Structures are given as structure tokens and as C-alpha cells.
Amino acid sequence: MEKILLHTCCGPCLLYPAKKLRSSFDVICFYSNSNIHPQAEYEKRRENAIVTANKLKFLFIEGKYDPKVYFGVIKNRKNRCEACYTLRLEETGKKAKELEIGNFSTTLLVSPYQDIKKIQEIGKKIAKRYDLTFHDSDFREGFKEGREMAFHSGLYLQKFCGCSFSYIEKFESKINLQQERGNGGTGSI
Ligand code: SF4
């Protein structure tokens, strides 16, 4: 069976794409999320992603956690989500190439809160550059199912997208950071 490197943002978002992809691919999870803040949140999501990958019997690889790289790529960008998607998909494409895995995708494609068109566009561009195939399936139909599975498995269900800005937007909405956000996702999950 062909392999696919699946960028994994968290355990709950892994469940539905895993269900769809596992019949056609040998799935390897790649947890590469320097956007997540603070580090304790990064680690909490990583632990959930590991538990989920283990249950599914998927191999799990962790990328480098370096928040400075995330802040570097979003600096002076009108649309910080676009830069954030690019960073994580670029790292996934690069890792797939390094491991000689011809396919990659992302669990971000399951979230109705993300800009799916932008993710598909970025994924395809990166795939072209590395001579890989980006699987751009729209998994959003399974978002609710995935959340329910995650709830019943006792997984941690985060309430914000991941970065410090999304945390503030979600929990301290009186502070208006919309200008910094640009036109990307919603700052939610
Ligand atoms: S809101 Fe989400 S997608 Fe956008 S920059 Fe923050 S973590 Fe990345």
C-alpha cells in the first residue's frame, strides 16, 4: 500500500481523515505545529495526537517545535493564517520528500473553521515544487462525527485554533485583533 504523510494538527481532527484515508493508504502522522501557543498547549495536543495515532496503529513523527519560526513567517503578513498553513504544509512536504513518501495531506481539511480553498491551493503549490501528490479531499462533512468520536474517546477538545492570537480572539474578544488576523480562518477550531 502507498504511504501518505498526514500533517496532524491534533487528535480530534485526525479521526475522520484517518477513517477516510486508511483504506487507500498506509498513514503516517506528522505533528508539525510551531503555531501552537503556549508550549503546554502544544504538548497537550501532541499527547492527544499520539494517543489517537497509537489507537489507529499509525506511525507518529514529530516535527521541530519552534514558535520563533511561526512568528517570523507571520510578521508583516496581512493574512497570518495563510502564512501559518504554508509553514506547516511546507514542513510536511519537505519531510515527505526526505522520507521518500509520495503523498501528503493535512487534517486541517476537516475543519469548517479553516479556509479550505487556501489550504488546497497552498498544498498543490508545495506538491508541485517537491514533485509529490497533495491529497486535497474536503473532509468537512465528517467534522461533527470526528468531534463526537473524540468526545467519546475522552480526548481533549480545544476551544481555540492554536496561536496566541486565536486564543485572545476566542477568550478576550473585547480586544480587537482582527486587523492582524487578515482574511484567513476564524481563530476558532
Ligand atoms: S488562527 Fe489558526 S490557522 Fe490562523 S494563524 Fe492562528 S493557528 Fe494558524
Side-chain angles (χ1 to χ4, degrees):
M1 202 182 261
E2 271 192 77
K3 290 180 179 166
I4 189 166
L5 191 65
L6 179 62
H7 166 256
T8 302
C9 62
C10 63
C13 287
L14 171 59
L15 288 164
Y16 187 78
K19 183 177 158 182
K20 298 305 265 189
L21 290 169
R22 69 179 322 169
S23 54
S24 318
F25 294 102
D26 174 7
V27 181
I28 299 168
C29 296
F30 184 53
Y31 187 75
S32 178
N33 300 294
S34 290
N35 55 311
I36 300 175
H37 183 86
Q39 187 164 348
E41 178 71 22
Y42 170 87
E43 286 167 4
K44 202 169 177 180
R45 294 188 193 192
R46 181 188 61 196
E47 287 321 301
N48 268 252
I50 291 173
V51 166
T52 310
N54 286 345
K55 266 194 195 158
L56 294 162
K57 301 199 184 329
F58 291 167
L59 200 66
F60 183 92
I61 302 172
E62 184 179 4
K64 191 173 176 213
Y65 178 57
D66 190 350
K68 283 201 283 308
V69 173
Y70 165 74
F71 286 110
V73 298
I74 64 156
K75 202 173 160 196
N76 303 324
R77 290 287 294 264
K78 267 195 196 150
N79 187 332
R80 76 162 191 267
C81 296
E82 184 178 342
C84 179
Y85 301 147
T86 304
L87 171 66
R88 292 186 281 168
L89 290 177
E90 174 74 35
E91 287 178 346
T92 309
K94 211 187 222 173
K95 181 57 85 181
K97 193 73 190 170
E98 185 191 312
L99 298 174
E100 298 181 359
I101 298 171
N103 307 283
F104 73 110
S105 188
T106 175
T107 55
L108 293 168
L109 293 164
V110 79
S111 172
Y113 299 101
Q114 303 295 349
D115 184 344
I116 190 165
K117 284 208 169 73
K118 191 54 79 186
I119 294 167
Q120 289 166 329
E121 182 192 312
I122 294 167
K124 281 183 204 156
K125 261 192 213 161
I126 293 169
K128 203 171 173 192
R129 197 146 30 80
Y130 288 108
D131 194 23
L132 301 169
T133 303
F134 178 67
H135 289 265
D136 66 347
S137 310
D138 183 347
F139 294 123
R140 291 175 298 181
E141 67 199 11
F143 180 72
K144 201 164 165 267
E145 185 184 327
R147 301 297 284 180
E148 278 163 10
M149 286 192 277
F151 177 76
H152 292 299
S153 306
L155 291 178
Y156 163 58
L157 291 159
Q158 65 270 7
K159 300 276 189 295
F160 68 108
C161 190
C163 65
S164 48
F165 307 100
S166 61
Y167 181 90
I168 292 168
E169 286 162 2
K170 190 75 186 176
F171 300 110
E172 299 174 34
S173 55
K174 282 180 192 155
I175 299 172
N176 187 0
L177 285 180
Q178 291 303 321
Q179 271 182 319
E180 288 178 46
R181 181 171 175 78
N183 298 319
T186 66
S188 186
I189 47 173

